[in-house]
Structure formats: C-alpha cells, structure tokens
C-alpha cells in the first residue's frame, strides 16, 4: 500500500443519534428470551434511532451503553469508510450471553438517524454533538424498567472513549452514575497529535523503503505541522497539502477536527471517579491504539480500578488481523478471543 493511501485510510478510520417495536428474540419460547427493540430518543432536537437488546419482561439486571467508533459510524459499528464491520452488534450479543442488556445507536449522519436538523449545515456536526447524543442515550437506558441503575456500564471503541469518559464525569441533574467503563482501543491523545505521529511514522517508513528521500519526507512533515498550527490557531487550512493530506484536513471538516482536537483524553481520564472499574485494551498491531503509546493515558487512570489488557495481533476493530489494514475491517470474523477472555474477567465487576 502506498504511503499516501496508508495515511489517508488511517486518518479516515480515526475520524470515522420513544416508542419501540419488538424485533428478534434470540431464544424463543422462554421468559428469559433476549429481544431487540427498535427505539428512539431525542438529543437536542435530533431523533436518534437505536437497538435496545434485553431480556423479555422487566426483570432488573445490568445494562451497558455501546458507543461506536469516531465520526459517522452506526449502531453496529459499520461506516462508509470500511464498510459493514458489525463489531458493535457482536459486542451486544456477547454481553447478552453474559446477562447484560445493551443499547447501541445510529450516531448522527448514519443509519435511520441521519443528519436531522444538521442536514443543511453538516459541518456543524462535531464532538459536542456526539457527546450530547451519548448523554441522551445513557439516560434513555437508565430509564428502562429492566435496568439496574447500580450496574450501568459503557463500552466503546476508539474515539468513542472520549464520549464515554465524559459520561463518567457527568454530574448534571438527572445524569446516571456510571458503574464501569470498557475503553477498547482508546483515543489516547489529542486528535491532531495522533495524526501527526502517524504521518511521521509513514514518512520514516517511506525513507527506509526508498520511496522518499529524507528531504522529501521532511518537506511533507513540515507542511503538515504548519497545517496543524494554522488549524489550531486560526481555524483554517492551507489551500494545498501534499501526500493527499488535504483528504484529512480541509475547509469542510476543519471545524469538527479542531473541536475534536481541543479535547485532551488525559484530562478526561483524570476526572473519572476514583475506584471506577475501567478496562483498557490496546494492541501491538493497532496503528491507532498501539500499546507502546498509551502509557500516559493509563497513568491518568491510575486512580481508578484499572485493568490494562495488551492484545497481540488484533486490529482496531477488535479482530485477529495483525495487518490492521482498513481494507480488511469488513471481512467477516468473530471478535478476537483475546478480547472476549478479557471481557469475561471484567463484565461481572
């Protein structure tokens, strides 16, 4: 894969909302059957559609909110970059096999939710909109008759971890208490810093492989660094960027990117209530959540009841694939057994 394609795909993957009707029962003919209800709830004028997976009846039990990866990723973990991934649907099924109800939902711009009131100004959809959606989702889940409010958890992937940590620190009126957090392959630093690190790594690989001279690589890095500075200080982007970096940062997305970049996950991690059970996973082959890079993030979580699981050969969408190639994300396969073993020891906490 070319250096240009690696940078663009990695960044796109990193960027990658009441009434209900009953759908499938996973176990028929039993009062303990698991059913999936199509549900809706409203977040600041946006009607969000989701799936509430729970046991038939109102018997109380633990419940978990599932928040998908960054950007326009739907309730099942599918997005328009990588295709039908389905990892969040698989996570919901795993949780129900362990007695945990779940809510997963189509984020703004995806699935049945769509853009709603943002249809005429999609550039205004940024991190704050996603956080508002997550806050409405967790309140909806907490309000279900079968939800044990003392065992309400959040499981999330990638940039979704930012919104999950915000829920754990939410002390506003009516905000439910979050019992535990599953932060899977988390966004462990500021957004543009992570992209910068990826650009530098790809340029170093290009020099080593003979595709670029050191001078050419330095020129690309300098242009990107200048673009980051301009975005952060002025909220604008240069007219032209090399190596298709303009597909990562451009006038149509700069507002949302700068808004996301302003959030420091380390600060959010430090504000999670002490003693909260937290599971963090990373992988030696995940270009976005590599175990070698997340120590500052886990250090910020030292006051919690923290479990860190280092996966081997697992890609960013939680499957066994050491290539971590975005082109492979939609290939059918189970969640990595390494992940499910880690969850086995965490879900009951």
């Amino acid at each position: 894969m070319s250096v240009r394609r690696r940078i663009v795909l990695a960044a796109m993957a990193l960027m990658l909302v009441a009434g209900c009707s009953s759908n499938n029962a996973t176990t028929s003919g039993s009062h303990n059957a698991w059913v999936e209800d199509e549900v809706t709830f409203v977040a600041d004028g946006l009607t969000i559609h989701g799936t509430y997976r729970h046991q038939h009846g109102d018997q109380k039990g633990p419940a978990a909110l599932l928040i998908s990866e960054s950007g326009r990723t739907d309730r099942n973990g599918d997005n328009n970059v990588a295709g039908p991934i389905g990892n969040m649907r698989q996570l919901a099924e795993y949780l129900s096999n362990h007695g945990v109800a779940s809510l997963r939902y189509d984020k703004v711009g995806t699935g049945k939710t769509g853009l709603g009131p943002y249809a005429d100004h999609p550039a205004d959809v940024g991190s704050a909109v996603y956080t508002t959606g997550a806050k409405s989702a967790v309140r909806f889940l907490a309000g279900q008759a079968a939800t044990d409010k003392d065992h309400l958890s959040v499981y999330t992937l990638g940039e979704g971890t930012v919104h999950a940590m915000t829920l754990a620190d939410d002390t506003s009126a009516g905000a439910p208490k979050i019992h535990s957090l599953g932060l899977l392959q988390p966004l462990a630093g500021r957004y543009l810093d992570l992209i910068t690190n990826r650009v530098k790594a790809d340029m170093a690989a290009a020099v080593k492989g003979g595709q670029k001279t050191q001078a050419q690589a330095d020129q690309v890095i300098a242009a990107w660094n200048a673009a980051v500075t301009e975005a952060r200080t002025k909220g604008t982007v240069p007219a032209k960027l090399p190596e298709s970096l303009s597909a990562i940062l451009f006038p149509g997305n700069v507002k949302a990117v700068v808004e996301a970049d302003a959030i420091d996950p380390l600060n959010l991690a430090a504000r999670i209530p002490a003693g909260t059970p937290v599971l963090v996973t990373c992988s030696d082959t995940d270009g976005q959540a590599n175990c070698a890079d997340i120590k500052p993030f886990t250090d910020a979580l030292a006051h919690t009841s923290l479990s860190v699981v280092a996966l081997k050969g697992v890609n960013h969408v939680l499957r066994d694939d050491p290539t971590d190639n975005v082109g492979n994300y939609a290939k059918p396969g189970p969640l990595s057994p390494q992940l499910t073993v880690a969850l086995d020891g965490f879900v009951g906490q």
Side-chain angles (χ1 to χ4, degrees):
M1 185 182 295
S2 69
V3 172
R4 176 179 301 178
R5 183 169 173 78
R6 283 202 306 270
I7 293 173
V8 173
L9 287 180
M12 290 175 75
L14 190 62
M15 281 293 288
L16 292 141
V17 203
C20 59
S21 60
S22 182
N23 281 331
N24 301 323
T26 60
T27 306
S28 60
S30 167
H31 70 281
N32 289 323
W34 285 85
V35 297
E36 290 199 334
D37 291 344
E38 183 73 17
V39 299
T40 62
F41 49 93
V42 177
D44 195 22
L46 174 71
T47 298
I48 299 179
H49 293 252
T51 299
Y52 175 43
R53 185 179 176 90
H54 63 104
Q55 284 186 303
H56 182 73
D58 293 335
Q59 180 179 350
K60 285 191 179 294
L65 175 65
L66 308 186
I67 304 177
S68 296
E69 175 62 277
S70 61
R72 296 186 180 182
T73 306
D74 72 10
R75 71 183 81 182
N76 293 323
D78 304 344
N79 63 58
N80 59 0
V81 175
I85 297 171
N87 54 358
M88 302 309 283
R89 172 183 51 77
Q90 291 175 313
L91 182 57
E93 292 168 353
Y94 166 88
L95 289 171
S96 63
N97 289 338
H98 290 73
V100 181
S102 63
L103 172 66
R104 62 192 195 272
Y105 60 96
D106 292 334
K107 296 163 70 176
V108 60
T110 72
K112 292 183 178 181
T113 299
L115 285 169
Y118 299 98
D120 294 332
H121 46 100
D124 288 344
V125 176
S127 187
V129 176
Y130 294 120
T131 295
T132 298
K135 287 182 176 181
S136 293
V138 79
R139 291 174 187 233
F140 175 87
L141 181 58
Q144 300 309 298
T147 297
D148 178 354
K149 295 182 179 61
D150 292 328
H151 290 86
L152 182 60
S153 302
V154 184
Y155 290 84
T156 179
L157 175 65
E159 190 182 336
T161 57
V162 168
H163 312 300
M165 290 188 290
T166 300
L167 298 182
D169 182 47
D170 188 0
T171 58
S172 61
K177 182 179 185 298
I178 304 303
H179 170 72
S180 61
L181 292 171
L183 307 179
L184 311 177
Q185 316 300 91
L187 183 75
R190 291 181 64 185
Y191 179 74
L192 287 173
D193 288 343
L194 295 177
I195 295 297
T196 298
N197 291 340
R198 189 59 183 252
V199 170
K200 289 178 179 178
D202 281 338
M203 290 300 103
V207 172
K208 185 176 181 179
Q211 289 113 349
K212 288 189 178 298
T213 65
Q214 186 62 57
Q216 289 171 328
D218 290 343
Q219 187 176 30
V220 172
I221 292 170
W224 174 251
N225 286 340
V228 170
T229 298
E230 181 175 333
R232 284 175 169 171
T233 59
K234 300 179 181 179
T236 59
V237 294
K240 186 176 181 181
L241 283 169
E243 293 292 334
S244 290
L245 292 172
S246 57
I248 301 171
L249 190 61
F250 53 91
N253 78 345
V254 65
K255 180 179 178 180
V257 168
V258 169
E259 183 180 331
D261 178 68
I263 300 170
D264 187 346
L266 302 188
N267 290 339
L268 294 178
R271 295 204 299 266
I272 293 173
T276 301
V278 177
L279 171 67
V280 172
T281 68
C282 59
S283 174
D284 61 342
T285 55
D286 185 344
Q288 300 174 53
N290 194 285
C291 294
D293 301 327
I294 69 163
K295 189 175 186 304
F297 181 70
T298 55
D299 286 347
L301 291 166
H303 64 292
T304 68
S305 180
L306 178 63
S307 301
V308 180
V309 176
L311 307 174
K312 303 291 185 183
V314 175
N315 66 14
H316 190 65
V317 296
L318 308 174
R319 296 195 176 114
D320 287 330
D321 174 16
T323 70
D324 195 36
N325 187 326
V326 176
N328 294 333
Y329 283 3
K331 286 186 176 180
L335 297 175
S336 171
Q338 298 173 62
L339 172 68
T340 55
V341 167
L343 290 172
D344 288 345
F346 181 76
V347 166
Q349 290 189 33

